Amino acid sequence: MLELRYRGSCPSPGEAVSPPPREGEAAGGDHETESTSDKETDIDDRYGDLDSRTDSDIPEIPASSDRTPEILKKALSGLSSRWKNWWIRGILTLTMISSFFLIIYMGSFMLMLLVLGIQVKCFHEIITIGYRVYHSYDLPWFRTLSWYFLLCVNYFFYGETVADYFATFVQREEQLQFLIRYHRFISFALYLAGFCMFVLSLVKKHYRLQFYMFAWTHVTLLITVTQSHLVIQNLFEGMIWFLVPISSVICNDITAYLFGFFFGRTPLIKLSPKKTWEGFIGGFFSTVVFGFIAAYVLSKYQYFVCPVEYRSDVNSFVTECEPSELFELQTYSLPPFLKAVLRQETVSLYPFQIHSIALSTFASLIGPFGGFFASGFKRAFKIKDFANTIPGHGGIMDRFDCQYLMATFVHVYITSFIRGPNPSKVLQQLLVLQPEQQLNIYKTLKTHLIEKGILRPALKV
Amino acid sequence: MTELRQRVAHEPDAPPEDKESESEAKVDGETASDSESRAESAPLPVSADDTPEVLNRALSNLSSRWKNWWVRGILTLAMIAFFFIIIYLGPMVLMIIVMCVQIKCFHEIITIGYNVYHSYDLPWFRTLSWYFLLCVNYFFYGETVTDYFFTLVQREEPLRILSKYHRFISFTLYLIGFCMFVLSLVKKHYRLQFYMFGWTHVTLLIVVTQSHLVIHNLFEGMIWFIVPISCVICNDIMAYMFGFFFGRTPLIKLSPKKTWEGFIGGFFATVVFGLLLSYVMSGYRCFVCPVEYNNDTNSFTVDCEPSDLFRLQEYNIPGVIQSVTGWKTVRMYPFQIHSIALSTFASLIGPFGGFFASGFKRAFKIKDFANTIPGHGGIMDRFDCQYLMATFVNVYIASFIRGPNPSKLIQQFLTLRPDQQLHIFNTLRSHLIDKGMLTSATEDE
């Protein structure tokens, strides 16, 4: 959405034209036009004696080529350039939102696949930027190793999730049992194999470059894979924990842009000169209201509210349950000043709506920092967009940069304030213990439950 | 130990090496980009002589080669003696030492980053790096403390709140650092700042997670801390000895002084050493028992009934070895079998950590990570092979030795809702009855 603000409020054909030639230039030319901060890279590369050799072999990836489908181009051919951009962006935004709704309708499994697909694409985009920055497209093994590490880390995380949520399914199959039991060891062995391959692939003239790409891969994994894993965990808590945060961030983007467009005056941060305080504050209030309303609408349906479970008999995901107290209407007494305004004594709210205020606040206040981080990153590496996947918007990362911190926050919020640890995970770990330990724990638990009155001593349930 | 092999085996190369690093340092200083930093970024002289005066005078009449040999030898013995002393002092001191080593390693790697990027004067950046180190340490130590000091934590009210909302507090602290980073981005230095951000995070990933796993292993029992570390050190020393006496075939282009003879000889020597060491240590409770925090005495205790791993058992020797040694059976601790696995990892995969550090030093054209230990380089130089060992031991323990931590499970159980607790309790009960551990009759107790 950053580009939208750029383009929509200040169309500057010069801006659109100048980056491509700069990126397209040879490395030497690049370094001449860059600011002092990039001379450091120049020296580094010289020490690793890389650029001068591999310039001509770089496949040019033009980041700003026009990928708009022909049909749109024809339909909008009559409009001026500024409005054409506006329309393309608008249409693509609506397309993305409707495909989002469609996938929600199709269910949690499709959502999981979507999240996985997005993660892989984000990883690919960031790694490609790394290749271009370091002109390392032809490094031996490196592309293989990056994807291999992605696979390892995904295997580790999804193995942990699968073991928790598919406990019943897993208990049945023997091979899966073995994989689950020694999961950490297997993941570690896989990672080690990749690590040793990296060490063995170090080539004399390219040491520094290879280390850079190794570090780049790991930081990218840290950012994309952990976030997507936490998104899936939130999803399993209940689709509402997935939908409300993501929609709040999207809403904040759109409303901050609109408020900035109509009322924007005071610049917010030097890093993104088109952002304004009016947009920021207006976006904050509208996102809180939006979150409040969306939470109210979604809390009614079991489909959104119930934790996703895997039923072995049906062999699919079901979302059926008794909604927890969070999602049952309760009456709250209004504080006096609101009483005077609304002329009501009490109001019926879902407790979840109170939580949604916290989520929307985070989305509006801290979420933009993820956007600033991505902005700074793009400026640092002199790219306009992460990639060119979505016409008019840039890459997938451009759309998801603000979501970056949101998933972690929601996960931490849920584990701290909403629920404790996952019961099925506790059970699974209990069953893995030694029998004597199990007996000890059983006795401790029994005393505890009797004390609390949850278990009555005389009754054998 | 790579430096030791390099210096002694090929002495004539030593002066040129010094010259090379000095000329690199000069070029570093000359081609510094920012005109302000040109005068200020005096390159750290990595090869300055840091030997204490005492040693210098004592060895002044020996030739340069033997002087280096002696300096290294004396420092090696000093480090090993120091290791024994802190083992004697107990787990608390060990934890503190691990923490200090971690901080020093972090400092060394970050300083290299500063030198590479001439970024010593970046606004905020030194503060931010140390702040992130503090955050991540707070997060990890908070998780450990909550597990192991459970009763202590539950007693004190502020600690209880801190541990209940631990993840949230850690995340908030990290977020503050992240926002400070974004706000500190300065127009001309974007790329540099992002590089240092990435460098800090990768360093944290390497250094802090490893040290955290080392502490975990320590709590399992000091033997799980001592045997792996000693195996890596032994492998270093043995591979050097074998390479010195029998070395002929080069092992890997990355470290030209390493040889296959040293590698294989070191492997066998380390396995034997591991067997002997674990035999000796398994006899003592203070090494074998998990470290526990005793509420009454407010200190750490290592007192328990040793588990099966640490009780002598009879094993039948396979026919091959029977004919050689003439014994039918042998009495061993089961832990010694595990020690073979640990030593094998230390000898075969541990060196890859060393190669990684070698490649890193070549990539950034530094000879040593720092100059902390005279004759040896920095703390990182000594601990590079340990890098993967701690993770392996932790994964090994979690997969093969014990399952999850029972007290942690109880703690998690107590935070669940009553209906969930009941459900789990009933499932556990039917499971135990199935296994025959419980009969319906004993339920009446």
Side-chain angles (χ1 to χ4, degrees):
Chain A
M1 278 308 204
L2 293 167
E3 301 311 314
L4 182 55
R5 292 190 190 94
Y6 264 107
R7 290 264 184 118
S9 47
C10 236
S12 41
E15 199 182 277
V17 166
S18 52
R22 221 186 293 158
E23 278 147 8
E25 272 170 5
D30 245 359
H31 294 145
E32 277 153 33
T33 56
E34 280 164 0
S35 57
T36 19
S37 62
D38 298 301
K39 282 212 189 128
E40 279 88 325
T41 325
D42 204 19
I43 299 160
D44 296 339
D45 295 338
R46 227 184 285 150
Y47 276 143
D49 53 277
L50 308 151
D51 286 86
S52 43
R53 306 277 174 88
T54 52
D55 272 4
S56 43
D57 306 329
I58 312 163
E60 294 292 324
I61 307 175
S64 56
S65 64
D66 195 7
R67 264 183 61 174
T68 336
E70 270 309 303
I71 176 171
L72 275 179
K73 272 200 200 151
K74 267 186 258 136
L76 305 168
S77 54
L79 299 165
S80 75
S81 170
R82 168 178 181 173
W83 285 106
K84 185 159 124 181
N85 280 329
W86 227 106
W87 271 105
I88 293 180
R89 284 221 168 68
I91 291 174
L92 258 305
T93 310
L94 290 173
T95 316
M96 288 194 289
I97 294 180
S98 27
S99 47
F100 188 41
F101 282 150
L102 190 67
I103 298 184
I104 293 173
Y105 179 73
M106 280 165 54
S108 22
F109 187 66
M110 289 306 298
L111 270 174
M112 267 180 72
L113 286 184
L114 177 71
V115 171
L116 188 62
I118 289 178
Q119 175 213 101
V120 171
K121 191 71 184 67
C122 286
F123 182 79
H124 175 69
E125 285 178 7
I126 301 183
I127 290 289
T128 312
I129 292 175
Y131 291 154
R132 276 169 41 209
V133 169
Y134 293 115
H135 309 289
S136 61
Y137 222 77
D138 299 317
L139 267 187
W141 280 101
F142 210 77
R143 269 173 287 168
T144 319
L145 273 177
S146 303
W147 289 103
Y148 177 79
F149 281 127
L150 177 68
L151 204 73
C152 280
V153 181
N154 266 319
Y155 175 75
F156 173 66
F157 277 125
Y158 280 89
E160 301 252 309
T161 336
V162 162
D164 291 352
Y165 292 107
F166 292 78
T168 40
F169 178 66
V170 161
Q171 297 293 348
R172 274 193 318 211
E173 312 281 339
E174 259 315 300
Q175 301 95 327
L176 287 187
Q177 274 273 39
F178 176 77
L179 283 182
I180 297 291
R181 206 182 156 76
Y182 298 109
H183 179 249
R184 282 201 181 178
F185 193 75
I186 295 173
S187 313
F188 183 64
L190 288 176
Y191 177 81
L192 262 193
F195 182 81
C196 295
M197 286 315 305
F198 169 72
V199 171
L200 292 173
S201 78
L202 288 173
V203 178
K204 197 172 158 82
K205 285 202 181 11
H206 301 286
Y207 288 147
R208 192 181 286 213
L209 207 61
Q210 290 181 293
F211 271 93
Y212 279 160
M213 287 311 296
F214 185 77
W216 191 288
T217 306
H218 279 68
V219 176
T220 311
L221 285 174
L222 198 69
I223 295 179
T224 54
V225 179
T226 54
Q227 299 301 309
S228 84
H229 173 66
L230 293 175
V231 166
I232 303 273
Q233 292 237 354
N234 297 341
L235 180 67
F236 271 88
E237 270 304 300
M239 280 171 65
I240 199 173
W241 290 104
F242 171 80
L243 293 175
V244 169
I246 291 187
S247 331
S248 298
V249 174
I250 295 175
C251 167
N252 184 60
D253 255 352
I254 298 177
T255 47
Y257 167 71
L258 290 174
F259 274 87
F261 188 72
F262 290 117
F263 309 113
R265 204 152 308 161
T266 343
L268 178 62
I269 188 174
K270 272 198 302 255
L271 195 54
S272 293
K274 304 300 185 298
K275 305 238 176 154
T276 58
W277 275 103
E278 290 83 7
F280 187 70
I281 296 181
F284 167 61
F285 283 111
S286 25
T287 307
V288 169
V289 170
F290 169 82
F292 205 72
I293 297 176
Y296 181 77
V297 166
L298 290 178
S299 297
K300 293 197 203 159
Y301 300 95
Q302 267 192 18
Y303 181 65
F304 294 123
V305 150
C306 292
V308 175
E309 277 160 12
Y310 179 77
R311 285 279 168 81
S312 21
D313 25 334
V314 202
N315 248 9
S316 71
F317 292 97
V318 291
T319 47
E320 263 169 30
C321 66
E322 196 58 43
S324 78
E325 300 96 39
L326 267 190
F327 302 103
E328 275 159 31
L329 277 172
Q330 288 182 17
T331 37
Y332 291 90
S333 319
L334 287 175
F337 60 90
L338 277 182
K339 262 194 225 174
V341 169
L342 299 173
R343 267 167 284 157
Q344 278 181 311
E345 288 284 317
T346 59
V347 69
S348 259
L349 284 183
Y350 292 100
F352 179 72
Q353 293 183 272
I354 318 280
H355 293 298
S356 82
I357 297 181
L359 297 181
S360 321
T361 310
F362 184 87
S364 333
L365 297 185
I366 311 291
F369 276 90
F372 299 150
F373 186 81
S375 258
F377 181 83
K378 285 188 282 193
R379 277 168 198 275
F381 296 101
K382 295 216 171 357
I383 52 179
K384 201 167 72 61
D385 285 324
F386 276 92
N388 211 22
T389 324
I390 312 176
H393 284 269
I396 300 273
M397 257 325 271
D398 286 296
R399 293 278 58 78
F400 285 89
D401 52 19
C402 296
Q403 306 275 1
Y404 164 50
L405 296 166
M406 191 76 205
T408 322
F409 175 75
V410 175
H411 182 80
V412 170
Y413 190 87
I414 292 178
T415 47
S416 302
F417 298 113
I418 307 293
R419 68 159 177 85
N422 186 8
S424 50
K425 183 162 195 167
V426 176
L427 188 60
Q428 180 212 346
Q429 288 184 323
L430 270 178
L431 294 174
V432 166
L433 287 174
Q434 303 288 331
E436 302 84 33
Q437 292 172 312
Q438 286 179 340
L439 202 56
N440 281 333
I441 292 184
Y442 174 77
K443 294 194 182 128
T444 319
L445 295 183
K446 189 165 173 216
T447 351
H448 171 80
L449 286 176
I450 291 178
E451 259 175 59
K452 290 254 169 180
I454 298 171
L455 190 66
R456 279 178 290 169
L459 256 147
K460 304 289 181 293
V461 180
Chain B
M1 277 307 205
T2 26
E3 300 311 315
L4 182 57
R5 290 188 193 97
Q6 277 181 343
R7 283 271 183 112
V8 183
H10 286 259
E11 215 280 326
D13 283 348
E17 260 171 18
D18 286 329
K19 275 197 212 126
E20 180 194 54
S21 53
E22 274 161 20
S23 56
E24 297 296 348
K26 246 183 266 167
V27 178
D28 250 2
E30 277 168 9
T31 52
S33 55
D34 305 308
S35 44
E36 312 94 46
S37 54
R38 203 169 294 172
E40 290 154 12
S41 67
L44 286 182
V46 185
S47 55
D49 195 7
D50 218 20
T51 336
E53 268 311 300
V54 174
L55 279 177
N56 259 333
R57 265 183 270 130
L59 305 167
S60 54
N61 44 355
L62 294 167
S63 77
S64 171
R65 168 180 182 168
W66 286 107
K67 185 161 126 184
N68 280 328
W69 226 107
W70 274 104
V71 169
R72 282 219 167 69
I74 291 173
L75 259 304
T76 309
L77 290 174
M79 288 194 289
I80 294 179
F82 181 66
F83 188 41
F84 282 146
I85 290 175
I86 53 179
I87 290 174
Y88 177 73
L89 286 177
M92 187 71 188
V93 177
L94 267 173
M95 266 179 71
I96 295 179
I97 297 287
V98 170
M99 182 120 188
C100 292
V101 168
Q102 174 215 103
I103 292 179
K104 192 70 183 72
C105 288
F106 181 79
H107 176 69
E108 285 178 8
I109 301 182
I110 290 288
T111 312
I112 292 175
Y114 291 152
N115 288 340
V116 168
Y117 294 114
H118 309 286
S119 61
Y120 222 76
D121 300 315
L122 268 187
W124 280 101
F125 208 78
R126 268 173 288 168
T127 320
L128 274 176
S129 304
W130 289 103
Y131 177 80
F132 280 126
L133 177 69
L134 203 73
C135 281
V136 181
N137 266 319
Y138 175 75
F139 172 66
F140 276 125
Y141 279 89
E143 302 254 308
T144 332
V145 162
T146 320
D147 288 352
Y148 290 108
F149 293 84
F150 182 57
T151 34
L152 172 72
V153 163
Q154 295 291 47
R155 265 194 327 215
E156 310 284 336
E157 204 32 50
L159 285 185
R160 207 179 62 76
I161 295 181
L162 279 183
S163 92
K164 191 165 153 76
Y165 299 109
H166 179 251
R167 285 201 180 177
F168 192 73
I169 295 173
S170 313
F171 182 64
T172 314
L173 289 177
Y174 178 81
L175 261 193
I176 292 176
F178 182 81
C179 295
M180 288 314 306
F181 169 71
V182 171
L183 293 174
S184 78
L185 288 173
V186 179
K187 199 171 159 82
K188 281 201 180 16
H189 301 287
Y190 289 149
R191 195 183 283 217
L192 208 60
Q193 290 180 294
F194 271 93
Y195 279 160
M196 286 311 296
F197 187 77
W199 191 288
T200 305
H201 278 68
V202 177
T203 310
L204 284 174
L205 197 69
I206 295 177
V207 169
V208 179
T209 54
Q210 298 302 309
S211 85
H212 173 66
L213 293 174
V214 166
I215 304 273
H216 257 287
N217 299 341
L218 180 68
F219 271 88
E220 270 304 298
M222 280 170 67
I223 200 172
W224 290 104
F225 171 79
I226 296 174
V227 168
I229 290 187
S230 322
C231 286
V232 174
I233 295 174
C234 169
N235 184 60
D236 255 353
I237 298 177
M238 288 296 145
Y240 167 71
M241 297 280 183
F242 275 87
F244 187 70
F245 290 117
F246 307 114
R248 206 154 304 164
T249 341
L251 180 61
I252 187 174
K253 273 201 297 263
L254 196 52
S255 292
K257 307 299 183 303
K258 305 235 173 154
T259 57
W260 274 102
E261 289 84 5
F263 188 70
I264 296 180
F267 168 61
F268 284 111
T270 308
V271 170
V272 170
F273 170 80
L275 279 171
L276 290 174
L277 183 69
S278 30
Y279 181 76
V280 167
M281 290 199 129
S282 298
Y284 298 93
R285 273 205 195 163
C286 67
F287 294 127
V288 151
C289 291
V291 175
E292 272 157 35
Y293 181 78
N294 200 337
N295 290 314
D296 325 319
T297 60
N298 257 8
S299 70
F300 289 99
T301 50
V302 268
D303 206 8
C304 67
E305 198 55 44
S307 79
D308 287 330
L309 267 189
F310 302 104
R311 286 199 209 135
L312 281 172
Q313 288 184 18
E314 301 265 339
Y315 288 93
N316 293 321
I317 303 185
V320 171
I321 310 184
Q322 253 183 24
S323 43
V324 169
T325 56
W327 289 334
K328 287 257 163 43
T329 62
V330 70
R331 287 168 59 87
M332 281 188 355
Y333 295 99
F335 179 73
Q336 292 183 272
I337 317 276
H338 293 296
S339 81
I340 296 180
L342 298 181
S343 327
T344 309
F345 183 87
S347 333
L348 297 185
I349 310 291
F352 277 91
F355 298 152
F356 186 81
S358 266
F360 181 83
K361 286 188 278 194
R362 276 169 199 274
F364 296 100
K365 297 214 174 356
I366 52 177
K367 202 165 72 57
D368 285 324
F369 277 91
N371 213 19
T372 323
I373 311 176
H376 285 270
I379 299 271
M380 258 323 270
D381 286 295
R382 292 281 60 78
F383 286 90
D384 53 16
C385 295
Q386 307 275 0
Y387 164 48
L388 295 166
M389 192 76 206
T391 322
F392 176 75
V393 174
N394 190 274
V395 171
Y396 190 86
I397 294 178
S399 304
F400 298 113
I401 307 294
R402 67 159 180 86
N405 186 6
S407 53
K408 181 167 189 167
L409 278 182
I410 294 184
Q411 177 204 346
Q412 285 184 327
F413 183 85
L414 293 174
T415 58
L416 289 173
R417 292 197 310 258
D419 55 309
Q420 291 170 321
Q421 289 182 348
L422 205 55
H423 170 68
I424 291 183
F425 178 75
N426 288 328
T427 317
L428 183 63
R429 185 165 164 268
S430 32
H431 176 80
L432 284 175
I433 292 181
D434 278 341
K435 289 243 167 185
M437 300 284 302
L438 267 184
T439 58
S440 318
T442 57
E443 276 293 275
D444 297 325
E445 287 171 34

